[in-house]
């Protein structure tokens, strides 16, 4: 009996030893299936862990999924450090799917238990808030963004609007542009009417509206997108409007249109425009767009050369509050302009020739660079007289005490008969009196140098008095003048540039008056000795 048990035990021991040496070592892996992630209406991410056993390997790895036993799909998985994953696309919205992971080592296959997930259902479209791009007397442009279509094809996309006195809501369709933008132009609106607009989109699931945007149609035009003024004005009103107020951003294309409406084209040609009053207080000038005049383009916060050149219809203009620079001859030839208001932020303001009706400058009280007195423009400290209005008719003008300098071109074409200077004036800018209508000018004793071309083109000038401090007269000082008398109060003859008296027959026709007892000094000084008549 004992020999039998001993035999059995030996067989077991031998069998165990044999199993260790010759038993299978390629074992199936251990799988763990994860819950689906990244679920949307049409996508989901499936993943799982794969733990190898023994010398096992993975030959094939699949995710199997389907919404029913009849619709099963096997998708090769992507191996990761932890196991495998796959991104499913093209799923049906609002549908429940079953799935499992299947792995083969080439000899046998194992799979996980089955899990399930549900894709999100389709929804109504999603819209951003609607915005008003611009508006005019009878038109408006509105814009919205379609965030998503809800997974369904759109059946309607556009805007619904109604007037304050109308119960009927009108619909205008719109087409999708880049990045989901859609816009529409509302036309044939009634003037001086309040309107409410809202964006609208619909699909098979439902419809959605944005909040209402309200506006009133009037002569006040709103532009949020530079270069779109033509959309607001339209061809029908372009040559009919006589007065408009604009707010928003304007570029070169917009100013080109304004010139057209003011009666002048981009090359200076006449147009049928009737616009005469232009209020730009709430406008910001920005770069971009087409040239507004010839080859001139807009710059940020700048009214550029020739912007309103020869727009003779222009009677009144309010400049933008944000403008910092007004270049020379912005308003050249604006013969109808009577008042020019300089707004808050202007730091540089140059003259414009040919504004023969301009009677006064006005300056914002908060402007830190300029001030005004009796319609005449000065620097803030009132030490420099900057500009005298070309259309301000005055028989005698005496420059106020405290003014130390007359800026260049300050009295250009000014219609003043007699100009008298306070003793405080000690400086003159180049061409300060160019083209002025003076008949008589008396300069202060504090002015030592008479700058070049200072009286150039003053064809009506007959009498000039140079103060006792005069030491030098520059070239072309009296070019184009027909002086009858020149009074020099300096005891010592001032030095003169070689062409100081070019441009006129001064020596033969003009009488030179000099201080008592100084006649001989002038007689023997060049070029003073060339005057035929010298009177003490």
């Amino acid at each position: 009996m004992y020999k039998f048990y001993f035999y059995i035990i030996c067989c077991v021991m031998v069998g165990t030893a044999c199993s260790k040496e010759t038993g299978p070592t390629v074992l199936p892996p251990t799988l763990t299936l994860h819950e689906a992630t990244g679920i949307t209406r049409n996508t989901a991410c499936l993943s799982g862990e794969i733990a190898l056993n023994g010398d096992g390997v993975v030959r094939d790895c699949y995710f199997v999924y389907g919404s029913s036993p009849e619709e099963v799909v096997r998708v090769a998985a992507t191996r990761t450090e932890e196991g495998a994953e796959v991104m499913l696309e093209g799923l049906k919205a609002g549908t429940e799917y079953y799935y499992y992971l299947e792995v083969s080592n080439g000899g046998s296959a194992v799979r996980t238990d089955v899990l399930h997930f549900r894709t999100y259902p389709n929804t109504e479209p999603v819209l951003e808030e609607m915005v008003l791009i611009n508006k005019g007397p009878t038109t408006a442009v509105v814009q919205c963004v379609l965030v998503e279509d809800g997974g369904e094809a759109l059946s309607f996309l556009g805007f619904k609007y109604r007037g304050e006195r109308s119960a009927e809501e009108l619909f205008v369709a719109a087409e999708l542009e880049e990045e989901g933008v859609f816009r529409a132009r509302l036309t044939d609106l009634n003037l001086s009417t309040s309107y409410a607009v809202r964006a609208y989109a619909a699909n098979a699931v439902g419809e959605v509206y944005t909040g209402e945007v309200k506006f009133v149609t009037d002569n006040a035009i709103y532009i949020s997108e530079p270069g779109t003024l033509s959309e607001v004005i339209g061809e029908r009103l372009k040559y009919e409007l006589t007065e408009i107020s604009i707010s928003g951003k304007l570029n070169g294309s917009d100013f080109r249109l304004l010139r057209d409406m003011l009666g002048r084209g981009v090359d200076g040609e006449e147009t049928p425009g009737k616009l005469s009053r232009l209020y730009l207080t709430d406008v910001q000038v920005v770069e971009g767009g087409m040239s507004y005049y010839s080859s001139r383009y807009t710059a940020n916060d700048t009214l550029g050369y020739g912007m309103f050149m020869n727009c003779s219809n222009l009677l009144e203009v309010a400049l933008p509050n944000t403008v910092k620079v007004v270049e020379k001859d912005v308003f050249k030839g604006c013969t109808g302009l009577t008042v020019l208001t300089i707004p808050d932020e202007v730091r540089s303001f140059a003259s414009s020739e040919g504004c023969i009706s301009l009677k006064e400058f006005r300056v914002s009280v908060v402007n830190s660079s300029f001030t005004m007195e009796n319609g005449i423009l000065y620097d803030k400290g009132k030490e420099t007289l900057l500009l005298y209005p070309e259309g301000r008719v005055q028989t005698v003008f005496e420059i106020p005490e405290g003014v130390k300098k007359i800026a260049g071109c300050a009295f250009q074409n000014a219609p003043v008969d007699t100009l008298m200077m306070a003793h405080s004036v000690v400086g003159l800018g180049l061409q300060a009196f160019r083209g002025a209508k003076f008949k008589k000018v008396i300069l202060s004793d504090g002015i030592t140098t008479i700058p070049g071309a200072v009286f150039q083109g003053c064809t009506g000038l007959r009498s000039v008095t140079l103060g006792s401090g005069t030491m030098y007269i520059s070239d072309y000082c009296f070019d184009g003048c027909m002086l009858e008398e020149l009074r020099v109060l300096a005891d010592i003859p001032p030095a003169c540039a070689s062409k100081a008296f070019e441009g006129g027959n001064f020596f033969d026709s003009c009488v030179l008056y000099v201080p008592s007892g100084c006649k001989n000094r002038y007689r023997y000084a060049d070029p003073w000795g060339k005057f035929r008549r010298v009177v003490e």
Side-chain angles (χ1 to χ4, degrees), residues 202-378:
N203 60 17
V205 177
E207 58 184 28
V208 63
Y209 294 88
T210 64
E212 287 187 337
V213 171
K214 295 182 178 180
F215 64 90
V216 178
T217 54
D218 52 25
N219 282 343
I221 295 174
Y222 168 70
I223 303 290
S224 69
E225 190 173 299
T228 63
L229 182 60
S230 60
E231 293 183 26
V232 180
I233 300 296
E235 289 297 319
R236 184 170 65 87
L237 291 177
K238 183 168 70 170
Y239 295 136
E240 294 181 11
L241 293 175
T242 60
E243 177 180 319
I244 56 174
S245 175
I246 304 177
S247 62
K249 298 179 179 180
L250 300 184
N251 65 14
S253 300
D254 302 312
F255 280 100
R256 176 187 282 221
L257 175 63
L258 288 177
R259 281 184 56 86
D260 200 10
M261 297 172 66
L262 286 163
R264 290 288 173 180
V266 66
D267 294 317
E269 71 278 12
E270 291 189 15
T271 72
K274 301 176 182 177
L275 187 63
S276 60
R277 287 178 169 81
L278 183 58
Y279 305 106
L280 305 175
T281 303
D282 297 320
V283 159
Q284 181 181 3
V285 181
V286 297
E287 63 184 5
M290 297 184 292
S291 62
Y292 60 82
Y293 172 69
S294 187
S295 59
R296 296 280 177 168
Y297 294 83
T298 51
N300 291 332
D301 301 324
T302 299
L303 294 185
Y305 169 87
M307 186 166 278
F308 299 102
M309 184 177 287
N310 296 326
C311 293
S312 55
N313 289 347
L314 186 61
L315 302 180
E316 185 176 352
V317 59
L319 303 185
N321 278 333
T322 56
V323 162
K324 294 178 173 57
V325 176
V326 179
E327 294 181 351
K328 184 171 177 58
D329 286 337
V330 169
F331 302 99
K332 184 176 181 178
C334 291
T335 56
L337 190 62
T338 58
V339 177
L340 192 56
T341 301
I342 299 174
D344 304 352
E345 300 295 327
V346 173
R347 299 292 176 265
S348 174
F349 189 93
S351 63
S352 291
E353 187 177 0
C355 298
I356 58 176
S357 299
L358 185 64
K359 292 180 170 51
E360 65 175 309
F361 292 102
R362 296 174 184 171
V363 181
S364 166
V365 294
V366 300
N367 188 288
S368 61
S369 300
F370 303 101
T371 189
M372 175 274 297
E373 182 177 306
N374 296 326
I376 300 164
L377 187 65
Y378 299 87

Side-chain angles (χ1 to χ4, degrees), residues 404-465:
K404 297 179 180 179
K405 182 180 179 181
I406 311 300
C409 300
F411 283 88
Q412 182 169 270
N413 301 326
V416 176
D417 284 347
T418 300
L419 178 69
M420 303 176 65
M421 289 189 184
H423 294 294
S424 56
V425 178
V426 294
L428 289 177
L430 289 173
Q431 299 182 324
F433 308 119
R434 181 174 179 268
K437 308 299 190 297
F438 301 144
K439 293 180 180 178
K440 182 177 182 180
V441 175
I442 302 175
L443 303 185
S444 74
D445 293 337
I447 295 176
T448 58
T449 298
I450 312 301
V454 69
F455 294 107
Q456 189 177 52
C458 295
T459 56
L461 188 61
R462 297 294 180 265
S463 173
V464 172
T465 299

